[in-house]
Amino acid sequence: MKVLVVGLGGVTNGGKTTLAKRLRKRLPNCSILSQDDFFKPESEVEIDERGFKQYDVLDALYMDEMVTSIHTWLKNPTGFSVSTAEMKSTHSNLKSTEEVHILIVEGFLLYNYEPLNEVWDRRYFLTIPYEECKRRRSTRVYQPADPPGYFDGHVWPMYLKHKREMEENTNNIVYLDGTKSEEDLLSYLYNDILREQEVLKK
């Protein structure tokens, strides 16, 4: 059985989760793992000198558990895959690729954690400009809610810091413009992943 592990990383509110869910619907034998599911409880998240909870750092996440979950999937991808029965009529042309199982891992901080670097077959990174990111973030409801000044005081500076570190230490990242239409991004990712499947099968 062949497997393909795809990282879909990027800035907060860049469209990662939406794209991952839409890809799962279109790709046979596809599962999703979300980094947001590995956040520590609020009581375990550090607070800085300004009173901001430090959510946008690796220490706010159970990263060891995330790595374990990915390796568990690698050992038994069929235990996690969604059913493709409803897709076969509309995706009959993909039957030849169904022996390849795909895991899409989506999250805001995927490529800065050394133990994960060995698992990626494909790495994508969504970017959007500051103003658009701030606008989108303001429309979302978080638990706990963002306190005043949190985006400029913590979220955006941490994004820039981690992006810089990622660029210095990681290769083979495909950067995606998150301001493009959802359909354009979906089409690009879908076709690119299909090409990776074909390479894997050879």
Side-chain angles (χ1 to χ4, degrees):
M1 185 185 300
K2 294 178 179 178
V3 294
L4 189 64
V5 181
V6 175
L8 184 54
V11 67
T12 178
N13 294 279
K16 303 177 295 294
T17 305
T18 301
L19 282 168
K21 288 178 177 177
R22 292 192 66 185
L23 283 166
R24 180 174 62 184
K25 288 180 179 177
R26 293 188 67 177
L27 292 164
N29 301 320
C30 183
S31 303
I32 296 176
L33 188 74
S34 175
Q35 190 172 36
D36 285 356
D37 292 338
F38 296 90
F39 271 114
K40 294 177 180 177
E42 187 181 355
S43 60
E44 293 183 32
V45 177
E46 297 287 330
I47 301 174
D48 72 3
E49 66 279 0
R50 294 161 298 179
F52 289 150
K53 285 274 187 180
Q54 300 295 286
Y55 274 107
D56 288 56
V57 296
L58 286 169
D59 283 346
L61 297 147
Y62 292 121
M63 291 302 296
D64 288 348
E65 288 185 16
M66 186 174 171
V67 173
T68 299
S69 294
I70 293 172
H71 283 289
T72 299
W73 180 89
L74 285 167
K75 290 174 189 171
N76 182 26
T78 56
F80 289 77
S81 292
V82 296
S83 169
T84 60
E86 71 278 11
M87 293 187 238
K88 285 180 180 172
S89 58
T90 53
H91 296 286
S92 57
N93 60 317
L94 296 180
K95 285 183 178 176
S96 62
T97 66
E98 287 184 4
E99 71 272 19
V100 179
H101 288 261
I102 303 166
L103 179 65
I104 297 174
V105 183
E106 64 93 3
F108 71 105
L109 204 49
L110 298 182
Y111 311 130
N112 299 71
Y113 190 64
E114 188 64 33
L116 280 179
N117 285 342
E118 64 191 49
V119 305
W120 309 118
D121 296 298
R122 202 79 171 124
R123 308 176 211 230
Y124 303 101
F125 192 89
L126 281 154
T127 64
I128 52 176
Y130 164 83
E131 290 293 345
E132 176 63 11
C133 187
K134 189 171 184 177
R135 183 193 69 76
R136 292 187 190 181
R137 179 92 180 193
S138 70
T139 67
R140 294 275 296 276
V141 178
Y142 289 92
Q143 291 296 333
D146 284 355
Y150 190 66
F151 182 84
D152 288 314
H154 175 64
V155 176
W156 190 255
M158 286 298 101
Y159 163 67
L160 294 178
K161 174 180 180 288
H162 291 125
K163 183 171 180 282
R164 186 166 57 248
E165 290 173 358
M166 176 189 76
E167 289 168 343
E168 289 171 358
N169 299 307
T170 311
N171 298 316
N172 303 318
I173 295 175
V174 178
Y175 291 90
L176 304 170
D177 180 356
T179 63
K180 287 187 174 180
S181 76
E182 197 177 292
E183 292 304 321
D184 283 350
L185 289 166
L186 180 65
S187 176
Y188 173 81
L189 286 165
Y190 176 70
N191 288 307
D192 202 48
I193 291 169
L194 285 187
R195 280 193 293 272
E196 287 295 309
Q197 282 184 323
E198 291 304 316
V199 171
L200 195 61
K201 286 161 60 184
K202 290 176 180 175

